[in-house]
Every structure is written in C-alpha cells, then in structure tokens.
Amino acid sequence: MKEVVPLAEGWSLHHDGSPLPATVPGCVHTDLLAAGEIPDPYTGLNEREVQWVGRRAWTYGRDLAPADTATASHERTDLVFDGLDTAATITLDGRELGRTRNMHRRYRFDVTGHHGRLHVEFASAYDEAEFVRVLTGERPNVYPEPFQYIRKMACSFGWDWGPTLVTAGIWRPVRLERWSTARLAEVRPLVTVEDGTGRVEIHVGVERTGSGAGRPLTVHAAVGGVQRRVTVDGTRAVVTLDVPDVSLWWPRGYGEQPLYDLEVTLVDDGPEERQLDSWHRRIGFRTVQLDRSADEHGTGFTFVVNGVRIFARGVNWIPDDTFPSRITPERYRARLTQAAEANVDLVRIWGGGIYEDDAFYDVCDELGLMVWQDFLFACAAYPEEQPLRGEVEAEARDNVVRLMPHPSLVLWNGNNENLWGFRDWDWEPGLQGNSWGGGYYLDLLPRVVAELDPTRPYTAGSPWSGSWEHHPNDPAHGTHHSWEVWNRRDYAEYRDSVPRFVAEFGWQAPPAHATLRRALPGEELAPDSPGMLHHQKAEDGNGKLNRGIARHFDLPEGDFDHWHYLAQVVQARAVAAGIEHWRAHWPVCAGTVVWQLNDCWPVSSWAAVDGDGRLKPLHHELRRVYADRLLTLQPGPDGPALTVINQSGTPWRTTVTLRRLRADGTVAGETPVEVTAGAREVARHAVPRDLVPDERSGKEFLVADAEDLRALHFPVPDKEFAYPAPRYDVEVTPVGDGGSVEVVVTAHTLVRDLLLQADRLGADAVCDSGLRTLLPGERVRLRVRGAGAVTADAARAALFCVAQR
C-alpha cells in the first residue's frame, strides 16, 4: 500500500545568511513575522515597510535522511508539492530535481534512494515576471504591477482592496509518497443523473514502476452500495457505476445536499492480491445547465439545476487572506457559513485569486452553495506565448481534475473582465496584433473543460455577451458588470436597466469600528487620517464614498463616527436597491453576484464581512434582500409599485398593509392588499393613488408590512426629508447564562435605520440585527452576545440612526 509521509516539520528559511524557523505550509512573510523580523503588514502603515521582502530571493531547506527515500520497503519514493509560490528551483544534495514557475500547480519528483539537504530556492516573483516580460513583450493591465507575466495569485501584487505583499514559499502541503508496482495518478469522475439513476463514469490514470509494467491490475470502485471491478490495460481504465434511486443534491433553499462516498482502489492481481493505492471523495448527484437562449429581451444566462430554473443569489469571493497559507478549514467554514446565513446560494471565486483548497469546496458541498469558478486571469492582457502557454494548460488540467468531484461546482469561467478590457480599455490598438489571452478563453480553456469535465458548462469570461456580435458588457446579453453606478452615479440608477445576469456590482464602506481600532492603533480616526487613507486602495475611494453619502445626507464634518455610520448605511442601501430591482425583474434577470463577500485584510472595501471577520450592516441587508420572500416598493413614473417576490417552492398568499405616513408618524391613509405570488414568481400591484406620498413635501412616506417583512418608500433624499429629532428609550436585559444581553429600543418618533454597532460594546460582541426602521410606539429587541455586562448608557452610545447627530 502507498505510504504518505508529511514533510511539515524541520524546515528553515535562510535570511541574511542565518536560518530562521520556517512553517510549512507557509510563506516568507509569515515566517519573518513569526521571527520578529518584520512588523505586521496589516497594521498601520507597515505594508510600506515590508516591500523589500517581495524583491528578494529566498531559500527553504530541510534534511532528507537515507531512510526517508530508501528502497527497502517500497520501489519508488516521490517528493510531492501541492503548491510552490512561485518560481522555484528544487535541489536534493546538490542535484537539481526540477524548476517551477506556477503557484497553481502540483509537482512530483522522483527522489528514490536520494537523500541529503533538500533546498527550495525561490526567485523574486518580480524577477521572474520581468524575465517573462522580456521574452513575450509588454502587455497592458489595470495596475502598475507585472502580475500577468507570472502564474501567481494576481492580487499578491495589490488590488483596489488589497495590499501589495508579493509572497514566496511552500504555500501548500509537501510530502513523500512511497509506493510499489503502481499508483493512481489520476481519478476523474463524471457524475450525471437521469430518470432517478445516478451514473459515475470514473476515468482512472495509472503510473507504474518498471516492475509493474505489464502486471495485471484491477480498479475497484464503490458508491451508494454499488460496486464494480475492471482490469487496467496499460495506464488507463474506465469504471462506470449506475446507482438507482439516488437522492439529488440541491442548492440551498431548493432541497437537501446528500453526499455519497466514492471509493476507488487499485489492486495488484498477483498471487497475493495487494491493495496498492486508494482514492476517496464525496460526490453529489445533480444536473446543471446554463440556459443562454436568445429571447425577446436579448440573450439569457440562467442556471438550471435538476431542471429547476434558479435566480442566483450570489457573492464574489476573494482570497480570505493575502497570505493564503493561513486560511484554515475552520476559517473557510466560518466565512462560508456567514454567506449561507445571508441567504446566499452562489459563490463566485474571482480570477485574480487562487483555486481554493478542497476544504472550501467541501463546505460548499455541505451547505448547498453553488460555486462559480474563474480560471485565474483578471484585468490584464495575458501573453499566450511560451513559457506561459504550457503553464496555463497544465494548470487548467490540474485544477479541473482536482475540483470536478465537487457537486457544488456549477460553472467554469474563462476570466475576469479581460474580454471587456480588450474591447473597451484601449488595449486593442496598443497590442498591435500581439496575443492578449483571447486564445485561452475562446479556445484552450473550453477545449480542456470539454475534454476533462463535460458535465459542467463553461463561459468564456465575465462579463461576456456570448459572442463578439455584442459588446462584451452588454446588459441585454449574458453576464454584466455594473460599475458605472459606484464610480460615477447615485445608487438609484441601478434601476435604469435590467441586465440578464449581474455578475459584479457593489458599493464601498469602511470596516467595523473595532477592526479599525485594531488595525490603526493610536490613530485619531478621520476619513482622511493617514491609516484610513492607506487602508483605502480604490482610486478616489474616499471621494466616491463621500459623494455617495452627500447625495442623500449632509456630509458630516469632523464627526468620524457619524461619517462611518452613514458610509455603512449607504453601502447597505445601495446594494439592496440593486438586488430588489433586479429580483423584481425575474426571470429576465436571473442572478446577482455582489462584489464582494469577504476581505483579505482590514480595509475600506465593498465587502459584507470585513478583514477581521466582522459583519457590516450590508451582511444583514443581504440576509433580508436574498430571503426567499421579499417585499419591496419599487419607484416608478406613476409612483411606487408594490412588488412581492417569492423564490420559495410554494405559493405565497398574504395580506400587505399599506400605510401613507407623515413624518411625525401619524397615518394619512391605510389599506390592506391581498396578494399572491406563485412559486418562484414575482407579483406586482399598483399602490392606490391616495396612498402615494406627496413627492414634493418631504413630509410623507409609504410603509408596506406583511407578516414579519417591511418595505419603505421615501420620495425624497434623506437630507430633504423632515425627520423629527429621534427619540427612543433603551433598556438592557441579560439573557441566559452565556453572557448575552437583549437591548430593547422603544421608539417615540420615527427612527430611521437604527443600527447597534455591537463591537463598540466589546471587540468580540456581535448583534443579531442590522439596520432597522421603527415607527412611533414600535419596539425592537436586539440580541447581543460576547459583550459581557452592558449598561443602558453604553448601549445608547453604540446606537446610531439617521438624523441623529
């Protein structure tokens, strides 16, 4: 049987001639940080102090003893790296084993019988990128960094939400694999289902030793109580299993997520039948199609799972840490659970990051989170010449085979914004006919997917209209990225169009207050204080934040806390405005993917969960607007329209109470409306004319209530509305024995967008609620855990609302 020996211990990092302890998996930055050689680059302005790290070469080393690779018990010993970042030369006892230039691939070297000092020498990624740039020629990109010339996590070189921390190191596990006769070199299961019967067509690749050549071997496969054995002729075999009456895997909200254990075993059929190697994954049975049919509205882009058409409630995912080796399975589970708690059912892994660890996809399998996987190209023209072309194909093949067992994976996507960039960002004239990546997205990658994983759809890019007959970012065709609003316009202008699928849109806000305090110790916080500006990477980011606030509120001057609150309010409102509008136009619009779920460090960004894992108000708002049932008042030329959105599998019949209210809370008109929305349907109702607020007075608004849902319509910007000075009572009551408290707020006036910033009560405190609007006499109970003892005065100091200064 194959024997696996992890090589996590005993490594050192050579630094200025002296060895430092090294953690594997890890990277140079984390080792230097652990040794006290550099400050925390996430704190203050320290990022600037560590730029030298990415400009230097580094060497990792450890010893391999004779017994590690001896042939006494096994014929062959392989040294296996799951990830090397990035340009490395591997030597053992002075003998070169090989060279690598791709962070996104696995590597295997035969070290049978060899021992001594193992060195992994990493060149600076900048030097490697410059070497390739000289070979291929200059190509444009959106940032002044050479990330398109090296197969490395692009956002290592910085992004408009990320620091520039160019890493190097053994970033994924390394091990010795000892084996004899033969091993499983590749297992590629194609999983389909038809008429209740699941089929697993397992394509197996076998590597043999010299003594194993021509030896009779058998592959045994088992899943769902069905077993089969086939003989391996040479190095390839196919095993097909038909499993009757399978339970289907569904996206969350549509059904359960049953997973089946698939076991593949390689057996030596000699006189003493021996098990040589084994492979195990969990799979799920489901069908997935992408409906890109043309219709009267343009060209669609709708996910169809198990025959059910789905409005995708998505978020974009970036690496959860600039140093990916620090992301543990527990951290994946925590972050993806936060996504599920926000009623998300699709996570798009963005093309400037990494192919995540299997632990990521395992959690998505369990939670029913569909995964849209970008191939790793983003915001740049990529050369198609060698040495990059061969690396791109090898990387694609490696990761398609690795990830395809996961039922959560529903789409392969060629790139992020490069087709759009070629057409719109002045790349085409400057390239003068040189390669830019189009051959990858329109030829190489679809061929790899069609060959290796024909069970899943492929799309050439995001955004992409489906062909050059339409603009790549045409909202009427395929996927659309909506960035004009954040960059230049008010969020109300999301309502000006109905894209077929919104794969990116978003609005910025600063992280939680406690996150800022940790990341910027001792700094007097202000929107333009040194640390705040350093932790704002977007071009004119604060200018866009301020203009977004100023369109709706008087911009606070000299009041950071209120500015911080308003920035978070506008972020939540902006994203909600887009999602409510686009969901109201299902099935023409078939999905929204918010930029973005998470952050990789403490930063002002579009994220719903900040770099310390704290929830912004946006996260709570996503939970509301991504719920199966949503009530919304959509502005229109004839006044607001009551829109009832039902994404559940059963009809929704309810009574909506419409009230026209004055600013002081008195009722100017009221009527009940009986509404029905069929399963996965949208129903629209005109608001009676006598209930439409006066569009000019700034003293009236509309409220719609049904069950525990509420929708609001204010006809004028907040700064033009006659808000009363907010008055409310605050009580605090301990709850249970776990240190939780209940903060009870009773409103005596209209209280708009009340927010309890629980982290002001304690760095680890969490509130179960986001923005809440109370009418006079209404009461809300806010559950806070992790704050310890809380007084009513402390709770009041942590409460914010519109018109409260």
Side-chain angles (χ1 to χ4, degrees):
M1 182 66 177
K2 183 175 72 177
E3 182 181 4
V4 176
V5 181
L7 297 181
E9 306 295 331
W11 291 92
S12 61
L13 172 66
H14 293 268
H15 170 60
D16 289 340
S18 301
L20 297 175
T23 298
V24 173
C27 73
V28 171
H29 288 82
T30 54
D31 288 332
L32 293 175
L33 187 60
E37 297 289 340
I38 60 170
D40 183 352
Y42 288 7
T43 301
L45 309 182
N46 290 341
E47 177 198 352
R48 298 173 180 172
E49 305 303 314
V50 301
Q51 292 302 297
W52 60 273
V53 176
R55 299 278 180 181
R56 288 183 44 173
W58 299 91
T59 299
Y60 283 79
R62 64 156 288 162
D63 291 325
L64 288 183
D68 290 330
T69 61
T71 59
S73 57
H74 294 83
E75 294 179 69
R76 171 91 167 260
T77 300
D78 290 343
L79 175 64
V80 183
F81 294 95
D82 283 339
L84 293 171
D85 177 17
T86 292
T89 301
I90 301 97
T91 61
L92 179 57
D93 196 28
R95 180 176 70 96
E96 183 174 310
L97 299 178
R99 300 190 178 207
T100 72
R101 54 183 357 136
N102 194 324
M103 180 180 181
H104 310 300
R105 290 180 59 189
R106 294 172 290 188
Y107 297 95
R108 178 180 293 269
F109 304 102
D110 183 354
V111 294
T112 308
H114 297 281
H115 59 273
R117 189 67 176 171
L118 174 64
H119 283 127
V120 184
E121 302 172 41
F122 290 97
S124 163
Y126 283 106
D127 291 345
E128 169 68 10
E130 184 57 37
F131 170 74
V132 173
R133 174 158 46 188
V134 169
L135 292 177
T136 64
E138 190 77 26
R139 299 294 194 282
N141 73 12
V142 297
Y143 298 109
E145 294 280 341
F147 60 83
Q148 74 265 52
Y149 305 103
I150 182 170
R151 296 309 298 157
K152 174 177 171 57
M153 185 173 85
C155 61
S156 289
F157 293 90
W159 221 260
D160 57 2
W161 37 256
T164 302
L165 295 168
V166 180
T167 51
I170 306 171
W171 77 287
R172 278 184 166 158
V174 56
R175 62 191 174 275
L176 295 175
E177 291 187 2
R178 302 169 180 154
W179 55 283
S180 299
T181 308
R183 71 176 186 90
L184 293 170
E186 178 181 292
V187 179
R188 187 166 55 86
L190 302 178
V191 181
T192 56
V193 60
E194 185 174 357
D195 296 329
T197 297
R199 168 164 289 189
V200 188
E201 184 181 287
I202 309 163
H203 294 251
V204 177
V206 173
E207 182 181 10
R208 298 173 182 255
T209 64
S211 68
R215 195 174 182 92
L217 303 176
T218 295
V219 172
H220 178 269
V223 65
V226 177
Q227 303 182 40
R228 190 176 176 199
R229 298 166 66 99
V230 300
T231 300
V232 182
D233 294 320
T235 60
R236 311 297 301 183
V238 178
V239 188
T240 301
L241 302 174
D242 289 323
V243 185
D245 301 321
V246 294
S247 299
L248 295 179
W249 183 96
W250 289 94
R252 65 174 308 279
Y254 290 81
E256 301 300 317
Q257 293 79 42
L259 298 172
Y260 290 75
D261 290 298
L262 174 59
E263 303 277 356
V264 178
T265 305
L266 181 64
V267 176
D268 179 359
D269 287 338
E272 300 179 0
E273 185 175 284
R274 293 178 300 143
Q275 181 174 315
L276 302 175
D277 201 356
S278 64
W279 179 97
H280 167 262
R281 296 290 187 278
R282 294 184 304 172
I283 63 170
F285 292 97
R286 54 99 184 99
T287 63
V288 57
Q289 291 90 33
L290 190 58
D291 185 352
R292 290 178 270 201
S293 303
D295 57 27
E296 67 271 26
H297 304 287
T299 308
F301 193 94
T302 304
F303 287 100
V304 184
V305 179
N306 299 328
V308 176
R309 302 173 69 81
I310 289 176
F311 181 98
R313 294 169 278 190
V315 288
N316 282 274
W317 171 276
I318 65 171
D320 206 52
D321 199 310
T322 301
F323 307 129
S325 59
R326 298 200 296 199
I327 307 173
T328 62
E330 293 75 22
R331 185 160 160 184
Y332 278 130
R333 185 170 295 278
R335 200 69 66 243
L336 291 167
T337 298
Q338 288 171 326
E341 289 171 346
N343 290 315
V344 165
D345 60 22
L346 181 142
V347 179
R348 175 191 170 209
I349 300 178
W350 168 76
I354 59 175
Y355 304 98
E356 298 290 343
D357 187 82
D358 277 294
F360 176 98
Y361 306 89
D362 286 341
V363 176
C364 291
D365 292 343
E366 296 170 16
L367 295 180
L369 294 172
M370 295 180 289
V371 176
W372 161 332
Q373 176 68 61
D374 280 14
F375 287 101
L376 300 185
F377 304 89
C379 301
Y382 284 79
E384 296 177 41
E385 292 76 27
Q386 299 293 7
L388 289 176
R389 186 176 185 84
E391 289 293 340
V392 166
E393 179 165 0
E395 166 192 318
R397 289 180 174 277
D398 194 339
N399 286 284
V400 168
V401 171
R402 178 172 71 90
L403 300 180
M404 62 186 289
H406 293 281
S408 56
L409 181 60
V410 296
L411 181 67
W412 295 105
N413 175 52
N415 74 88
N416 175 76
E417 298 190 342
N418 294 344
L419 297 159
W420 182 19
F422 177 72
R423 178 55 51 87
D424 249 16
W425 301 347
D426 296 323
W427 292 0
E428 191 171 1
L431 286 165
Q432 298 182 330
N434 287 326
S435 65
W436 56 276
Y440 295 148
Y441 321 134
L442 300 170
D443 180 20
L444 173 62
L445 294 175
R447 282 193 290 108
V448 169
V449 172
E451 175 193 343
L452 298 178
D453 187 18
T455 68
R456 287 181 180 84
Y458 170 88
T459 185
S462 186
W464 179 233
S465 59
S467 78
W468 290 115
E469 294 179 7
H470 307 288
H471 187 280
N473 200 30
D474 187 333
H477 300 276
T479 49
H480 177 69
H481 289 195
S482 179
W483 285 117
E484 282 297 300
V485 169
W486 157 252
N487 284 319
R488 280 170 274 278
R489 301 175 183 171
D490 180 42
Y491 62 74
E493 296 187 53
Y494 282 134
R495 303 186 183 107
D496 290 349
S497 68
V498 182
R500 306 310 304 268
F501 193 103
V502 187
E504 280 190 19
F505 80 107
W507 202 275
Q508 266 203 359
H513 185 265
T515 299
L516 290 173
R517 281 296 177 204
R518 185 199 63 77
L520 306 175
E523 180 164 311
E524 183 176 346
L525 296 177
D528 59 353
S529 60
M532 284 294 294
L533 289 179
H534 185 73
H535 289 246
Q536 165 62 276
K537 296 296 186 178
E539 181 181 2
D540 190 30
N542 271 19
K544 294 170 185 175
L545 277 175
N546 288 337
R547 289 190 291 275
I549 294 171
R551 292 184 185 108
H552 297 267
F553 303 96
D554 293 326
L555 194 64
E557 298 291 343
D559 184 348
F560 176 79
D561 288 345
H562 199 62
W563 176 88
H564 177 267
Y565 160 76
L566 290 179
Q568 295 198 327
V569 168
V570 172
Q571 180 189 38
R573 285 196 195 175
V575 172
I579 293 175
E580 288 185 352
H581 169 68
W582 293 319
R583 283 192 72 185
H585 285 83
W586 161 260
V588 177
C589 180
T592 57
V593 189
V594 178
W595 188 270
Q596 64 215 58
L597 173 68
N598 59 323
D599 269 326
C600 62
W601 77 313
V603 64
S604 291
S605 85
W606 299 264
V609 182
D610 76 16
D612 281 9
R614 295 187 175 92
L615 306 182
K616 295 182 185 179
L618 172 59
H619 182 274
H620 296 281
E621 196 67 356
L622 286 177
R623 185 170 61 189
R624 181 183 73 84
V625 297
Y626 272 165
D628 278 354
R629 293 177 173 179
L630 175 65
L631 198 65
T632 176
L633 292 164
Q634 288 294 300
D638 300 321
L642 173 63
T643 305
V644 179
I645 300 166
N646 179 24
Q647 202 161 343
S648 73
T650 57
W652 182 21
R653 298 178 179 87
T654 191
T655 300
V656 179
T657 301
L658 289 172
R659 285 181 287 172
R660 177 183 173 189
L661 298 179
R662 302 182 183 93
D664 64 4
T666 57
V667 179
E670 179 176 341
T671 191
V673 178
E674 301 297 323
V675 300
T676 298
R680 315 196 199 288
E681 290 185 357
V682 175
R684 298 174 181 82
H685 298 264
V687 173
R689 292 301 305 168
D690 61 338
L691 292 182
V692 175
D694 185 337
E695 299 278 341
R696 298 160 297 177
S697 72
K699 295 181 180 179
E700 294 183 341
F701 62 106
L702 180 65
V703 179
D705 288 307
E707 302 168 14
D708 59 347
L709 304 179
R710 167 168 287 176
L712 300 165
H713 170 70
F714 286 76
V716 299
D718 293 74
K719 61 185 178 183
E720 298 175 16
F721 191 79
Y723 284 111
R727 292 187 295 108
Y728 51 84
D729 295 332
V730 179
E731 303 172 66
V732 177
T733 305
V735 178
D737 299 324
S740 296
V741 298
E742 196 171 68
V743 177
V744 182
V745 180
T746 305
H748 299 293
T749 63
L750 170 64
V751 179
R752 181 85 190 274
D753 282 339
L754 181 74
L755 176 68
L756 177 60
Q757 294 188 357
D759 58 294
R760 291 177 181 266
L761 301 174
D764 297 326
V766 177
C767 182
D768 67 349
S769 182
L771 301 170
R772 303 287 293 269
T773 293
L774 304 181
L775 305 179
E778 289 186 336
R779 174 178 295 175
V780 64
R781 299 178 181 275
L782 308 174
R783 179 70 63 91
V784 179
R785 57 181 174 81
V790 176
T791 66
D793 287 344
R796 181 178 287 276
L799 284 164
F800 294 80
C801 67
V802 169
Q804 176 177 302
R805 296 295 297 275

